[in-house]
Amino acid sequence: MGVKVCKFGGTSMADGNIILTAAKIVKADPERRYVVVSAPGKRFSDDIKVTDLLYKCSDEYETGELAAFENTFEKIRVRFFNIEKGIGKDVRMSEELDKIRAEILSGAGRDYCASRGEYLAGKIMAAVLGVPFVDATELIRFDEHGALDNHSFDIAASVLANYPKAVVPGFYGLGVDGKVKTFSRGGGDISGSIVARAIMASLYENWTDVSGFYACDPRIVRSPKCIEELTYQELRELSYMGANVLHSESIFPVRSAGIPIRIANTFRPEDAGTYIVKTFTRDPKEYIVTGIAGKKDFTVISIEKSMMNSEVGFVGRVLAVIQKHGISFEHLPSGIDTMSLVLDNAYLKNGMLETLIEEMKEAVNPDKIYTHENIALVATVGHGMANNIGTSARLFKALAEANINVIMIDQGSSELNIIVGVDNDKCEECIRAIYREFFN
Ligand code: ASP
């Protein structure tokens, strides 16, 4: 019998009713033995996530706005009281909240404060399921640089060996200073992945409010196809380009152990969801493209120089310029006498673009250097592309027919993706054109 880890996101913990649904899902399968939870999220679009309220509390405490702090803390109290009422069980929310308030007011810190949504959600889920609550500080450790300490897997494995079933709060662990430390936002997904890896789960189920990973952003294409299966590598490519169902770092712990992830919908548990696996099992003839994602606001710096290819260290000198300013590049397409650097606009504010150009002129004395600002990168991702002749021809024909000018092309060496650069305002049209070609 396998062992499954279920992680429930914020919308699956947002009120008493949905928590009861989540508990029903867990109980429906005896293999679902470990549960990781997020803090209660939004119940409706204008709602405020508990984690956001907690960050607000922390800011108000830090700036000495104590009346505002009390006001915000009261909102958190009301959220948890309502949940307690909704599940129909006394889970001592009042006492827990009093303790938390006192800890914050005695300077427990920002991460402690932010983590309490998960802590309380964990206590609630443990009570509803009738299984032990195991605090994340007992399992997950951070190193002196604030990154995940890889000993966490062994620590978590030995602690959880004492619990055939448990509920663990997501999003935090213990820092080297002995205080609570959180992951970046959305980091509950990473906690779930760590628990899955520690117990060598047969499956890591990530329960959320969508029925899987869509082939592209549903705000751009209406009702896009839900992807049944994608590889870790395809997921990395798509999440890096902005498709965010899972925290982009959450695949690392499970990927090294080959544990599959299933994205499932708490609100439609009967839907199959998306499986994220190590190796591709689909027929590449049927699944050429897995997904399309786009990201805006990049700048291309193009450099031309005759005989660039025979000038030893040319690219190194160009890269040394961006390195000196702490800038990393996104892509580096090149030709015989040309190279282009694709940089995120976020790095290029306050005259940085002009500085880089001046320094590059000095470093490599180019024949020509010019920029193309405000471009969007659109990635078409799929293992099937490597085996299907004519895929890029179809893609570029579709873009030509939609009258979209392609500014830059880059193809990853694994033939897993084709990235095109288009003007920012053509990003959505570009995604729609590619979707039509490969999915309609
Ligand atoms: N509650 C945290 C957040 O809102 C972490 C999570 O939900 O995974 O970012």
Side-chain angles (χ1 to χ4, degrees), residues 133-190:
F133 168 90
V134 179
D135 196 32
T137 51
E138 286 186 49
L139 313 177
I140 296 174
R141 300 283 155 84
F142 291 88
D143 66 17
E144 63 279 20
H145 309 293
L148 174 70
D149 179 343
N150 282 331
H151 294 108
S152 301
F153 302 117
D154 291 340
I155 298 170
S158 69
V159 174
L160 293 174
N162 302 313
Y163 299 94
K165 289 183 176 183
V167 173
V168 177
F171 189 40
Y172 67 93
L174 196 66
V176 269
D177 55 1
K179 288 185 171 173
V180 165
K181 175 154 179 54
T182 57
F183 288 107
S184 56
R185 294 301 303 267
D189 290 338
I190 309 175

Side-chain angles (χ1 to χ4, degrees), residues 7-10 37-41 49-52 55 114 117-118 170-172 183-191 247:
K7 189 261 164 179
F8 288 96
V37 293
S38 276
K49 290 178 174 187
V50 164
T51 310
D52 289 323
Y55 276 121
E118 269 72 10
F171 189 40
Y172 67 93
F183 288 107
S184 56
R185 294 301 303 267
D189 290 338
I190 309 175
S191 311
H247 191 294

Side-chain angles (χ1 to χ4, degrees), residues 93-399:
M93 273 302 105
S94 181
E95 277 167 51
E96 292 278 8
L97 283 155
D98 287 346
K99 264 194 265 167
I100 289 169
R101 179 179 165 278
E103 289 284 343
I104 299 170
L105 292 176
S106 63
R110 187 172 168 78
D111 280 13
Y112 168 85
C113 189
S115 70
R116 293 306 90 182
E118 269 72 10
Y119 172 84
L120 292 175
K123 290 272 174 173
I124 291 165
M125 185 58 105
V128 171
L129 289 172
V131 307
F133 168 90
V134 179
D135 196 32
T137 51
E138 286 186 49
L139 313 177
I140 296 174
R141 300 283 155 84
F142 291 88
D143 66 17
E144 63 279 20
H145 309 293
L148 174 70
D149 179 343
N150 282 331
H151 294 108
S152 301
F153 302 117
D154 291 340
I155 298 170
S158 69
V159 174
L160 293 174
N162 302 313
Y163 299 94
K165 289 183 176 183
V167 173
V168 177
F171 189 40
Y172 67 93
L174 196 66
V176 269
D177 55 1
K179 288 185 171 173
V180 165
K181 175 154 179 54
T182 57
F183 288 107
S184 56
R185 294 301 303 267
D189 290 338
I190 309 175
S191 311
S193 184
I194 294 168
V195 171
R197 160 74 189 282
I199 59 141
M200 289 308 269
S202 51
L203 182 65
Y204 170 29
E205 288 187 323
N206 194 290
W207 290 86
T208 175
D209 55 3
V210 287
S211 291
F213 218 96
Y214 294 115
C216 70
D217 188 335
R219 287 167 302 185
I220 298 176
V221 170
R222 193 148 23 103
S223 313
K225 195 179 160 280
C226 190
I227 304 169
E228 292 150 44
E229 180 190 273
L230 77 159
T231 62
Y232 299 130
Q233 220 184 344
E234 289 172 326
L235 175 76
R236 275 288 293 158
E237 298 281 348
L238 290 167
S239 3
Y240 179 71
M241 291 297 292
N244 46 14
V245 174
L246 267 185
H247 191 294
S248 64
E249 287 165 38
S250 61
I251 62 159
F252 295 118
V254 284
R255 181 166 78 171
S256 55
I259 298 167
I261 307 172
R262 176 183 171 219
I263 311 282
N265 189 347
T266 310
F267 300 82
R268 291 179 57 94
E270 64 285 359
D271 288 354
T274 298
Y275 281 84
I276 301 155
V277 296
K278 192 172 177 178
T279 36
F280 190 67
T281 62
R282 292 165 298 165
D283 176 1
K285 286 270 170 279
E286 260 178 64
Y287 296 90
I288 301 173
V289 169
T290 304
I292 309 153
K295 219 173 166 186
K296 290 184 178 174
D297 298 329
F298 294 92
T299 293
V300 185
I301 303 178
S302 298
I303 303 173
E304 292 182 10
K305 189 173 186 187
S306 303
M307 305 297 287
M308 177 191 286
N309 64 319
S310 54
E311 196 177 317
V312 175
F314 189 95
V315 177
R317 286 195 292 283
V318 172
L319 294 183
V321 172
I322 60 164
Q323 186 186 5
K324 181 178 141 199
H325 294 283
I327 297 173
S328 62
F329 69 87
E330 302 290 320
H331 297 281
L332 191 82
S334 65
I336 284 284
D337 292 331
T338 64
M339 65 169 284
S340 298
L341 269 179
V342 183
L343 305 177
D344 193 326
N345 281 359
Y347 288 122
L348 305 177
K349 291 179 186 143
N350 306 322
M352 181 54 81
L353 180 59
E354 293 70 23
T355 306
L356 293 180
I357 290 173
E358 279 318 306
E359 292 185 11
M360 284 176 190
K361 280 185 185 166
E362 236 170 79
V364 293
N365 190 26
D367 297 338
K368 203 167 157 196
I369 181 162
Y370 55 95
T371 60
H372 204 120
E373 292 172 48
N374 300 323
I375 69 156
L377 300 178
V378 174
T380 305
V381 176
H383 283 289
M385 294 197 298
N387 299 304
N388 282 293
I389 294 166
T391 305
S392 51
R394 282 177 67 188
L395 191 150
F396 290 110
K397 188 163 166 271
L399 295 182

